[in-house]
Amino acid sequence: MKRLRKASFYPEIYISANVFKILGRISAQDSYRIKSLYKTKFDVIEIIKAGEKKPYKGPGEKFLFNRLKKSFKTIYNNRKLYFDDIKKTFYPDLLLELPEFVLLIEIDEPYDFKDGKPIHYYIELENRCYHIDFDWNKSLYDKGFNIIRFAEFQIFNDLDSCVDFINYVVNCLKNLKQPSLSFFQNRIPKLSEEEAIMYAYHHARSLYLPPDINAKFCPERNNIRNEFKRNLFK
């Protein structure tokens, strides 16, 4: 029997090789020429218009966004990416647009507050750990975007370290260096689907979310338990 490959840890980083190719050829100060070479990438970024159906945003996105906008003028929580060639639209949690490159920041919640369904997790597939976000990551990585993924727990439990890590990654890319995950202390493993379900049943998010957010989502907790009961006795 083959040994199951271990699940990965948060945070995760996906750095496109295109960043080093572009920054290695052109001065970071020459933003006009960089944008002309990077034209395809910047053109796919669109603003989510008023009245347009928006994807669900967890409390971690707002929490991190409010902190990052003090340091970055071009951090956005209302952007989408549309690729005409594959006819797909992606809605990143946060998007940091710099003259040299674009960095997408994702905050992964273990389960949905409303129905308790797992959101970000891995499953065992052919003796390997398949992460539910793999296709999302690969599609955007292949298009030349850089991605950082944090667990929601890390955002609320250690915001300073998350912000420091983002700054570290940005500085590495500007200086043509590959970021190292060892910079981030206290990395945590990703959850399996079964673990995410148990997190939902025991309302694990309430252990680290601030009281005001817990109070807001308190009515949904009974809905989660009722949903589990309905599924159990089907």
Side-chain angles (χ1 to χ4, degrees):
M1 183 177 177
K2 293 182 180 179
R3 186 177 180 183
L4 181 67
R5 191 179 68 177
K6 292 183 179 180
S8 58
F9 288 70
Y10 286 112
E12 289 184 313
I13 51 175
Y14 301 86
I15 304 301
S16 171
N18 291 342
V19 171
F20 299 106
K21 290 177 183 177
I22 291 175
L23 295 185
R25 287 203 307 262
I26 298 178
S27 166
Q29 283 72 36
D30 195 351
S31 61
Y32 174 78
R33 291 178 62 203
I34 287 175
K35 279 203 173 186
S36 65
L37 263 188
Y38 230 178
K39 188 172 186 299
T40 303
K41 186 177 313 316
F42 283 87
D43 281 356
V44 302
I45 300 174
E46 302 176 6
I47 299 175
I48 301 176
K49 299 176 182 178
E52 184 178 348
K53 186 177 180 181
K54 299 179 181 179
Y56 168 78
K57 292 281 187 180
E61 284 89 331
K62 184 177 181 181
F63 199 65
L64 180 59
F65 174 72
N66 288 337
R67 177 67 175 271
L68 289 178
K69 67 183 182 181
K70 297 177 182 178
S71 304
F72 299 101
K73 294 182 179 179
T74 53
I75 182 75
Y76 304 106
N77 62 354
N78 63 342
R79 295 294 190 267
K80 63 181 180 181
L81 309 171
Y82 176 72
F83 300 101
D84 188 62
D85 56 336
I86 59 175
K87 306 299 181 186
K88 278 190 176 182
T89 302
F90 297 86
Y91 296 87
D93 291 339
L94 301 177
L95 184 149
L96 177 59
E97 184 177 343
L98 298 173
E100 305 92 338
F101 54 84
V102 177
L103 179 64
L104 309 180
I105 304 170
E106 294 294 307
I107 297 93
D108 292 354
E109 302 91 354
Y111 59 88
D112 191 306
F113 251 133
K114 293 183 178 180
D115 55 20
K117 292 181 179 178
I119 303 177
H120 301 281
Y121 56 89
Y122 71 86
I123 57 175
E124 296 180 12
L125 189 64
E126 297 179 353
N127 293 315
R128 294 171 69 89
C129 290
Y130 175 79
H131 297 274
I132 205 69
D133 301 304
F134 174 82
D135 292 336
W136 193 101
N137 293 336
K138 187 177 186 305
S139 296
L140 292 171
Y141 174 84
D142 289 346
K143 293 293 184 182
F145 286 89
N146 310 288
I147 308 163
I148 300 179
R149 281 189 175 275
F150 294 104
E152 182 187 58
F153 171 81
Q154 292 171 316
I155 298 298
F156 286 101
N157 189 63
D158 194 2
L159 181 61
D160 288 342
S161 292
C162 295
V163 172
D164 288 345
F165 186 70
I166 292 169
N167 283 313
Y168 162 73
V169 171
V170 168
N171 289 329
C172 281
L173 296 184
K174 285 185 175 181
N175 290 286
L176 301 178
K177 295 180 180 179
Q178 181 71 32
S180 171
L181 287 169
S182 62
F183 180 88
F184 195 97
Q185 300 295 321
N186 301 321
R187 297 180 69 210
I188 60 175
K190 284 196 164 188
L191 300 177
S192 67
E193 185 176 19
E194 292 78 10
E195 288 170 330
I197 291 172
M198 291 308 299
Y199 268 52
Y201 186 77
H202 293 290
H203 308 305
R205 293 174 73 183
S206 65
L207 299 177
Y208 59 79
L209 290 176
D212 57 328
I213 296 177
N214 270 316
K216 179 180 178 181
F217 289 100
C218 187
E220 276 75 14
R221 294 182 187 174
N222 290 331
N223 294 341
I224 291 177
R225 284 285 172 91
N226 292 335
E227 186 72 21
F228 274 113
K229 290 177 182 178
R230 282 194 293 270
N231 292 332
L232 185 63
F233 294 106
K234 277 184 178 179

